[in-house]
Every structure is written in structure tokens, then in C-alpha cells.
Amino acid sequence: MHSNHTVISVSNGSAGSKGRSRFEGYLSDTLTGLINKKLHKELFLRIFSYLDIVSLCRCAQVSRTWNVLALDGSNWQSVNLFSFQKDVKTSVIQSLSRRCGGFLKCLNLEGCEGIEDDALRTFSNECRNIEELVLKDCRKITNKTCIFLSDSASRLTTLSIESCVEISDRGLSHIGKGCSKLQNLNISWCQSLTSASLCDIANGCPLLKMLIARGCVKISDEGILAIAQKCSDLRKLVVQGCNAITDNSIKLIAEQCKDLDFLSISDCDLLSDQSLRYLGLGCHKLRILEAARCSLFTDNGFSALAVGCHELQRLDLDECVLISDHTLHSLSLNCPHIETLTLSYCEQITDEGIRYISGGPCAIEHLKIIELDNCPLITDASLQHLMNCQMLKRIELYDCNNITKAGIRILKSRLPNIHVQAYFAPITPPVTTGDRQRRICRCCSLF
């Protein structure tokens, strides 16, 4: 397989002898010429449009004609360089940009840590029709790249600068000013960003539908309130680990963003049951809620949520230590579409709660995954209840000390396609003397 650098550095002229020799066993000059005469240029371009960049490179080395056609910009509208991240340097992106020009619409540079601002300067100047750009883990780029994009990428709809730690409020402010069509933005782990940058995004990008801001610890209510007020079409919001936001942010999100269907508020320590009540009142289209390690949430909050959010499909309550069977009772009565339910480390959950879920409308047709790690009160009786869940594909039971291998075998006999992940502490062997054969314990059992 050629490196990406080889792909981009193919010239307009004839292929080098080294590259061409790879094909001499398959296509002679005469045969290649015959194919070129029989097939129209448009058909060649159509065929090449289905090839990945490595295949295009190889085709470009067959002949002069194929070189021109394979490297035609129309074949390079979407380029994903993630698999070649170690080979991608600034010069590669500059060459690619000049080759693709206005044809390039989607570019993924995830993990290309060798990329610097100069590469994005050339890219912005040459590829002004770019719509989707992924710069995740391109740690050398700075605010300069944001300025280049602001000046030239007016059609940009999707941007990921996840883990681009050198980008600050100043850079994101330029994105807000110049990229008014932006709909999807990922700024996760850009820990120098504050609410000021979100205010600029909200003012300049009213079409925003997705905002992912994991680990942006300096973002507070001010930034979330601005997004809620100006971007009412928001569908997905991820603020996991933004532990400065409070119930006030969730209140305005619930009031203004009626189409919200994905919300991640995991590790937001200041949120209380009031946030869940706001969501139940305002976000009736909510399908996915990630609320792991929100230690203030209780049964009362989740009961209010369930009453208003009947479309819930995935619910992550990992380490919501205050909830009990009452939460599962409310979910079983009001949320008939649940497919994935995470209850790990919810230590108050008992067999009765599992009975509620297993007897609810979601059990027979929808529930596919349930995670019960470290729920010490559940027993084999829970497995008996879960036999009603005909669609169940996976159950996690690590450190559930009252679950037995016999109970799991019975569950497997009723649901033969289920994948059970369980842990059984090794039995301490008795003290022995002599040269008896050493016992081998199997700590982890995967069924």
C-alpha cells in the first residue's frame, strides 16, 4: 500500500518507471491504449469516482491518460486521510489542495499531528467549497487556521477541532464571524475555550444543530444560554464534563430547543432533579440521554423526565447512586421504546426494579442492551425476569455477587443469542501438601 504522500505527489505527466512496473504484468501499452480508445473519458471518471485514494494512485501510474483522469479533481470530492496520519505533512496537504481545488467538499485529517497552519492556509485558499472539515488531534494548528477558514470557507457546515489545544476564544470567534452556515461543531477538549467563544458562535451561526463540547471545563451557563437563545434548531448537545453549568442552562435549552433529541450531561456535578424536570416539560423529542455520574439526580427527577419524554431510546445512568427501583418503575410505564439501559453502580436497584423493566412495553420489542455492573442486590431472579426480553442481545453483570453461573445458563437456554459478560471471583483453593496438580481458576467468564 502506498503512503498518502505518494498518492498526492503523483504528477500530471507520465508515471515513473518504478510505479508503472507494478502494472506491466497486467496491462501492456497496446492493451492500455485499446481500453483508452474504447471507453469515453466520462466513463473513466465515473469508474474512478468509486475508488479510494490508494487505488486512484495506482491507476494514476498506469499511463499518461490514466494519470490525468485518476487525478482529476472531480474524483477527490471527499478525502479521508485518517489511515495515513503518520505520512501526512504540510506539503502533502498543500499538494492535495492544489490538486482538488474547488471540487473538494469533505476532508478528514483526524490524527494528522504533522499538519501546521501553513497547510491550512493553502487549503483555505484553494478549496473554497469545503463543507466538512475534521481536524481532530491536529495539535499544531492554532488560531491562524480559524482565521483562514473564516476568510475562505463560507460554505462550511461541519467542523471538528477536537483536542486542538492551541485554539482559543480568539480563533473560535473568527469561525463565528465567517462561517455562518455552520451546523455541526465539535470543540471537545479545547480546554482554553470559555463561554465567550460560544457567544460568538451563537451570534454568527444561527443554523447550528450539533454542539459537542466534552471536557470544556471553562464553559459556563453564559455560553449555553447564548446557544439556547440563538440556535433554537439545536438537535444534539454534549456538555459532558462541563461541570460549571447549572440547572439554568438546562432550563433554557428545554424551553428554546424543542427538537433536541440527544443530550449528554454526564459528569455535570451541579445539575439537580430540576434539570430533569425541565427536560420532561420541554424536550418531548429526546431520544438519548447520557447522565452518568450526576450524583444529585434522584427518583423524583427521573420520574418527571419519564412522564414527558416518551421517545427515550438510550439512557445512561451509570453511577447515579441515589436512584432506586422507583426510577425503573416510571421508565417501564412511560418509555416504551428503550433499547439501551445502563444502570452500572446503581447500588439500590433490586430484582423488583428489573421486574418492572422486564414487564414494561419496551421489554418484548425493543430492549437490546442492559448493563448492571456492580448492582449488588440483584440475583438470579432478575435473570428470570429478563427472559421476557426477546430482543435482548447483551447484558453486563460484572461484580454482581448474587448472580450465579447456573442462573446465566438458564438465561442462555431461553435466549441463546444473548451475550453475557460476567465476573466470578476465583475460589480460593484449599491448602494442600505434596505435588498435587496446580489448580487454574477462571476469573472472568464470557458467555
Side-chain angles (χ1 to χ4, degrees):
M1 179 179 292
H2 294 281
S3 72
N4 188 64
H5 186 85
T6 303
V7 173
I8 304 305
S9 61
V10 176
S11 67
N12 285 326
S14 60
S17 59
K18 179 180 179 181
R20 189 171 177 179
S21 64
R22 298 168 61 90
F23 293 87
E24 287 177 348
Y26 300 92
L27 293 174
S28 66
D29 290 341
T30 303
L31 182 56
T32 304
L34 181 60
I35 293 175
N36 293 341
K37 291 179 181 179
K38 293 292 185 180
L39 297 182
H40 294 291
K41 172 184 175 182
E42 291 76 12
L43 185 55
F44 270 115
L45 291 175
R46 181 64 180 271
I47 294 171
F48 288 157
S49 69
Y50 292 100
L51 302 182
D52 58 32
I53 57 178
V54 175
S55 300
L56 285 170
C57 172
R58 290 170 177 167
C59 289
Q61 296 176 0
V62 172
S63 68
R64 289 174 181 260
T65 301
W66 281 34
N67 180 278
V68 173
L69 294 174
L71 298 182
D72 187 88
S74 62
N75 294 320
W76 298 73
Q77 297 183 45
S78 181
V79 177
N80 185 346
L81 299 181
F82 176 71
S83 300
F84 309 94
Q85 49 189 279
K86 292 183 179 180
D87 298 319
V88 177
K89 307 299 181 184
T90 291
S91 59
V92 175
I93 299 303
Q94 290 173 330
S95 178
L96 172 68
S97 302
R98 296 185 182 104
R99 164 64 57 191
C100 299
F103 287 104
L104 188 60
K105 294 183 178 180
C106 306
L107 178 62
N108 185 351
L109 298 177
E110 179 180 348
C112 299
E113 296 186 359
I115 297 300
E116 299 177 344
D117 290 325
D118 284 345
L120 276 299
R121 181 201 300 271
T122 303
F123 165 79
S124 300
N125 289 333
E126 301 288 343
C127 305
R128 293 176 177 264
N129 293 323
I130 191 71
E131 297 176 1
E132 299 179 15
L133 178 61
V134 178
L135 299 173
K136 178 181 177 182
D137 291 323
C138 296
R139 298 177 183 273
K140 292 183 179 180
I141 68 170
T142 70
N143 292 332
K144 291 181 180 180
T145 287
C146 296
I147 296 174
F148 301 148
L149 294 175
S150 175
D151 292 339
S152 305
S154 60
R155 299 187 180 186
L156 193 66
T157 61
T158 299
L159 175 64
S160 174
I161 53 172
E162 180 177 347
S163 298
C164 295
V165 294
E166 297 297 324
I167 292 180
S168 68
D169 286 344
R170 177 171 169 264
L172 204 58
S173 175
H174 281 280
I175 296 295
K177 293 175 182 177
C179 303
S180 60
K181 295 183 179 180
L182 195 65
Q183 297 181 23
N184 306 297
L185 176 63
N186 189 341
I187 57 173
S188 297
W189 311 111
C190 295
Q191 296 185 341
S192 62
L193 295 180
T194 71
S195 290
S197 59
L198 284 193
C199 292
D200 292 330
I201 289 292
N203 290 328
C205 307
L207 302 179
L208 197 68
K209 294 183 178 180
M210 182 187 80
L211 174 63
I212 302 178
R214 287 188 180 90
C216 294
V217 295
K218 294 184 180 180
I219 289 178
S220 61
D221 286 342
E222 180 186 0
I224 303 301
L225 294 177
I227 293 292
Q229 289 173 334
K230 300 295 180 64
C231 306
S232 59
D233 210 19
L234 196 68
R235 309 291 175 85
K236 180 175 181 178
L237 176 63
V238 178
V239 287
Q240 177 182 348
C242 300
N243 48 24
I245 69 171
T246 71
D247 294 331
N248 292 330
S249 289
I250 306 303
K251 178 182 180 181
L252 204 57
I253 287 289
E255 291 175 349
Q256 300 293 327
C257 303
K258 298 297 184 180
D259 291 327
L260 191 73
D261 67 2
F262 187 116
L263 177 62
S264 176
I265 49 177
S266 298
D267 299 303
C268 293
D269 302 332
L270 300 181
L271 300 184
S272 71
D273 282 344
Q274 194 59 49
S275 287
L276 298 178
R277 294 189 185 97
Y278 292 141
L279 293 173
L281 291 173
C283 294
H284 302 306
K285 296 182 180 180
L286 193 65
R287 295 184 304 108
I288 299 172
L289 176 63
E290 297 176 352
R293 295 171 296 280
C294 291
S295 57
L296 299 181
F297 288 170
T298 71
D299 292 327
N300 293 332
F302 283 111
S303 295
L305 174 79
V307 169
C309 298
H310 303 298
E311 303 299 320
L312 280 172
Q313 296 179 10
R314 194 173 88 206
L315 194 56
D316 183 357
L317 307 183
D318 187 6
E319 289 192 53
C320 291
V321 294
L322 299 181
I323 68 169
S324 69
D325 295 337
H326 295 294
T327 289
L328 300 188
H329 190 208
S330 297
L331 293 174
S332 68
L333 294 176
N334 298 288
C335 303
H337 304 294
I338 292 179
E339 297 180 0
T340 301
L341 182 60
T342 299
L343 299 169
S344 301
Y345 292 90
C346 298
E347 298 182 351
Q348 297 185 52
I349 299 296
T350 72
D351 295 332
E352 187 71 2
I354 303 303
R355 183 179 71 84
Y356 290 140
I357 284 293
S358 301
C362 71
I364 296 178
E365 296 184 0
H366 297 288
L367 189 63
K368 296 178 181 178
I369 299 172
I370 186 166
E371 299 177 359
L372 299 169
D373 304 330
N374 260 96
C375 293
L377 301 182
I378 66 170
T379 70
D380 286 350
S382 288
L383 304 186
Q384 292 282 344
H385 299 318
L386 289 170
M387 291 179 189
N388 295 327
C389 305
Q390 297 299 313
M391 299 298 293
L392 198 60
K393 301 299 182 185
R394 192 182 88 222
I395 179 172
E396 294 191 6
L397 299 166
Y398 290 114
D399 292 318
C400 295
N401 296 327
N402 290 317
I403 296 293
T404 68
K405 292 183 179 180
I408 292 176
R409 281 194 292 268
I410 295 173
L411 177 66
K412 286 281 292 181
S413 68
R414 290 288 298 273
L415 302 175
N417 295 323
I418 193 172
H419 183 63
V420 181
Q421 295 180 332
Y423 171 83
F424 296 94
I427 299 174
T428 304
V431 179
T432 60
T433 58
D435 296 329
R436 293 181 61 185
Q437 185 176 359
R438 182 180 177 183
R439 295 179 61 183
I440 300 176
C441 65
R442 298 176 63 187
C443 298
C444 290
S445 299
L446 298 181
F447 296 83

